[in-house]
């Protein structure tokens, strides 16, 4: 795995990348909803109207990581931390990693990977509940233990202990990443006017009905004739529209 982060300047610590989340999450949610509705129609339930508020889609997407601590209701329950508190960037000797240690085996693996077996002598160290009261202290201890190691060393050590970890990569490193290369996840194409460009391949690989590669970003008016022919205009009609400057 890998984490794609952005760096404001060489002196600034990286943070998890920021997305325009609501637009994309709503689009994916709507695509899934349409697919489900089409299946329902095929099963005899007829057509239906789908109402998908962006707010609702975004809240549902955000909830498991960002608002898990609000799930249980009542004065007699408390969950002080949420999943996003555990999911963070740690500095290494020469870069950053994202690591996630929460289960007893992961906490034990974290201590062993960072040559801090002495942590395991502390009562309850491998129980995440021990650290919840002062989680920042725990984070600071982990940061201090990672500091002597390079990013490559931290990743190798944590992976050997089955602790989820990934290096923070800059944009060029993402493109050069061996898994990205192996997946052929980024395609290089040729634009008729602007030359070579690259874009992600369609992420879904259908075994029977593969998705055709997307064409280049269209130029203004590039498909006017094809669209009008599909709408029933004749070639003569279209030539007339071009001649009058109605279309370009």
């Amino acid at each position: 795995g890998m984490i794609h982060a952005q760096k404001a300047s060489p002196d600034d610590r990286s943070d998890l990348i920021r997305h325009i989340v609501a637009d994309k999450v709503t689009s994916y949610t709507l695509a899934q909803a349409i697919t489900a509705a089409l299946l329902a129609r095929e099963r005899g339930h007829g057509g239906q109207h789908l109402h998908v508020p962006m707010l609702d889609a975004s809240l549902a997407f955000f909830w498991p990581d960002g608002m898990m601590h609000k799930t249980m209701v009542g004065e007699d329950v408390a969950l002080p931390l949420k999943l996003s508190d555990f999911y963070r960037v740690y500095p290494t000797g020469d870069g950053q990693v994202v690591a996630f240690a929460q289960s007893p085996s992961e906490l034990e693996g974290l201590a062993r990977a960072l040559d801090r077996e002495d942590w395991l002598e502390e009562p309850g160290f491998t129980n995440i509940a021990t650290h919840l009261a002062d989680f920042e202290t725990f984070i600071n201890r982990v940061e201090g233990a990672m500091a002597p190691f390079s990013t490559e060393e931290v990743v190798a050590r944590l992976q050997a202990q089955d602790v989820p970890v990934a290096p923070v990569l800059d944009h060029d490193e993402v493109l050069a990443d061996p898994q990205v290369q192996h997946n052929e996840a980024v395609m290089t194409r040729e634009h008729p006017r602007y030359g070579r460009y690259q874009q992600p391949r369609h992420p879904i690989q259908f075994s029977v009905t593969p998705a055709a590669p997307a064409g280049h970003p269209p130029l203004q008016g590039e498909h006017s004739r094809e669209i009008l022919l599909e709408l029933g205009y004749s070639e003569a009609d279209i030539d007339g529209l071009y001649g009058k400057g109605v279309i370009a």
Side-chain angles (χ1 to χ4, degrees):
M2 65 176 179
I3 297 297
H4 174 192
Q6 53 190 9
K7 300 176 182 177
S9 76
D11 297 325
D12 288 342
R13 181 167 155 184
S14 295
D15 196 0
L16 300 180
I17 197 167
R18 294 164 176 82
H19 290 263
I20 305 299
V21 175
D23 294 39
K24 287 179 270 190
V25 165
T26 304
S27 298
Y28 278 116
T29 303
L30 190 57
Q32 189 275 332
I34 292 170
T35 303
L38 290 172
L39 177 61
R41 187 184 68 179
E42 290 297 310
R43 292 182 172 177
H45 297 286
Q48 56 189 301
H49 176 253
L50 305 176
H51 183 59
V52 185
M54 293 182 71
L55 173 63
D56 296 21
S58 301
L59 183 59
F61 183 82
F62 180 71
W63 189 278
D65 309 277
M67 292 188 67
M68 181 186 294
H69 62 312
K70 295 298 183 183
T71 300
M72 301 304 298
V73 177
E75 297 180 359
D76 59 335
V77 295
L79 183 61
L81 290 181
K82 50 195 178 298
L83 188 61
S84 57
D85 293 324
F86 298 89
Y87 185 57
R88 60 176 61 217
V89 173
Y90 293 93
T92 65
D94 63 354
Q96 298 90 22
V97 299
V98 174
F100 187 92
Q102 185 177 11
S103 70
S105 64
E106 290 167 352
L107 288 167
E108 179 180 351
L110 181 70
R112 296 191 185 283
L114 300 178
D115 291 340
R116 293 305 304 264
E117 284 86 354
D118 57 299
W119 289 351
L120 301 177
E121 299 173 8
E122 301 174 12
F125 177 84
T126 58
N127 184 350
I128 193 64
T130 304
H131 308 292
L132 296 185
D134 188 3
F135 199 63
E136 283 304 313
T137 294
F138 172 75
I139 295 300
N140 290 335
R141 294 176 73 185
V142 174
E143 289 186 354
M146 284 189 182
F149 302 106
S150 68
T151 297
E152 185 177 356
E153 289 172 326
V154 170
V155 170
R157 284 169 166 266
L158 266 63
Q159 285 182 343
Q161 295 289 339
D162 291 326
V163 179
V165 63
V168 172
L169 306 180
D170 65 24
H171 298 101
D172 289 333
E173 290 170 334
V174 170
L175 295 174
D177 182 79
Q179 192 66 55
V180 172
Q181 294 281 333
H182 173 78
N183 289 5
E184 299 180 348
V186 178
M187 303 183 302
T188 300
R189 311 291 295 279
E190 191 77 25
H191 192 280
R193 178 176 297 177
Y194 301 110
R196 294 177 70 241
Y197 68 99
Q198 57 188 3
Q199 67 181 43
R201 184 191 62 183
H202 196 290
I204 302 172
Q205 300 175 41
F206 293 89
S207 63
V208 178
T209 58
H216 63 260
L219 301 170
Q220 183 177 1
E222 181 177 349
H223 301 115
S224 296
R225 183 174 295 275
E226 290 94 326
I227 292 170
L228 291 172
L229 285 171
E230 288 182 12
L231 293 175
Y233 287 84
S234 68
E235 293 281 4
D237 293 333
I238 297 170
D239 288 340
L241 292 172
Y242 273 116
K244 295 176 183 177
V246 175
I247 59 174

